[in-house]
Amino acid sequence: MIRRISVVAATLAAVMVVSGCANTVRGVGRDVGNTVDATGAAVKDVAR
């Protein structure tokens, strides 16, 4: 019984860690996209 509880707890902890990583990767993707947009706008302003 104790072993089963330990396995369930470890599985839940792993799921929480993996879901946190997914959010981080998504956030980094958004940040990179925003950086590209800002760089493009700056280039257009300089070119004028």
Side-chain angles (χ1 to χ4, degrees):
M1 186 66 169
I2 297 294
R3 181 176 167 91
R4 177 175 278 172
I5 292 172
S6 298
V7 169
V8 170
T11 302
L12 288 175
V15 167
M16 289 172 61
V17 168
V18 170
S19 68
C21 292
N23 290 332
T24 302
V25 170
R26 218 175 286 136
V28 169
R30 288 180 187 154
D31 290 343
V32 170
N34 290 337
T35 302
V36 169
D37 293 342
T39 303
V43 168
K44 288 179 184 177
D45 288 343
V46 170
R48 290 182 190 173

